[in-house]
Amino acid sequence: LKYAFSNNGDINVITFKMKKNDDNSYTMLIGDNGIGSKIGLNDEHATFGLELIKTLAEQLQGTIKHLPVKGTMYEITFSSVK
């Protein structure tokens, strides 16, 4: 959040959505409509926020992908957790 938004008058939106899929897996969206980031999922040096998201996906044994939208948005898909 510290670097996500500029002071250009836009409405700042943080997104967190989660849904259950037909195959009993789950899809989670995490992101914002801010200025975005040029750091990729596989880059050696990541931001603290990206490291948190990657760690969450790893703990859930899920997959993560960056969605091509304004700002930054990640989709994590994972199976049911016991």
Side-chain angles (χ1 to χ4, degrees), residues 44-78:
E44 186 174 325
H45 300 287
T47 63
F48 180 65
L50 181 54
E51 286 299 325
L52 287 174
I53 292 169
K54 288 168 62 173
T55 300
L56 174 63
E58 183 179 310
Q59 289 174 342
L60 293 170
Q61 298 178 354
T63 60
I64 182 171
K65 68 178 178 178
H66 180 261
L67 301 180
V69 298
K70 180 184 182 305
T72 303
M73 186 73 62
Y74 294 100
E75 178 184 85
I76 299 172
T77 304
F78 58 97

Side-chain angles (χ1 to χ4, degrees), residues 10-70:
D10 289 343
I11 296 173
N12 302 330
V13 177
I14 297 170
T15 300
F16 177 86
K17 294 181 181 180
M18 193 160 135
K19 71 173 186 171
K20 186 173 184 178
N21 302 314
D22 292 338
D23 64 354
N24 287 329
S25 67
Y26 295 86
T27 299
M28 181 186 311
L29 294 177
I30 302 171
D32 61 62
N33 70 337
I35 60 174
S37 175
K38 295 180 180 173
I39 298 172
L41 285 169
N42 297 319
D43 288 353
E44 186 174 325
H45 300 287
T47 63
F48 180 65
L50 181 54
E51 286 299 325
L52 287 174
I53 292 169
K54 288 168 62 173
T55 300
L56 174 63
E58 183 179 310
Q59 289 174 342
L60 293 170
Q61 298 178 354
T63 60
I64 182 171
K65 68 178 178 178
H66 180 261
L67 301 180
V69 298
K70 180 184 182 305

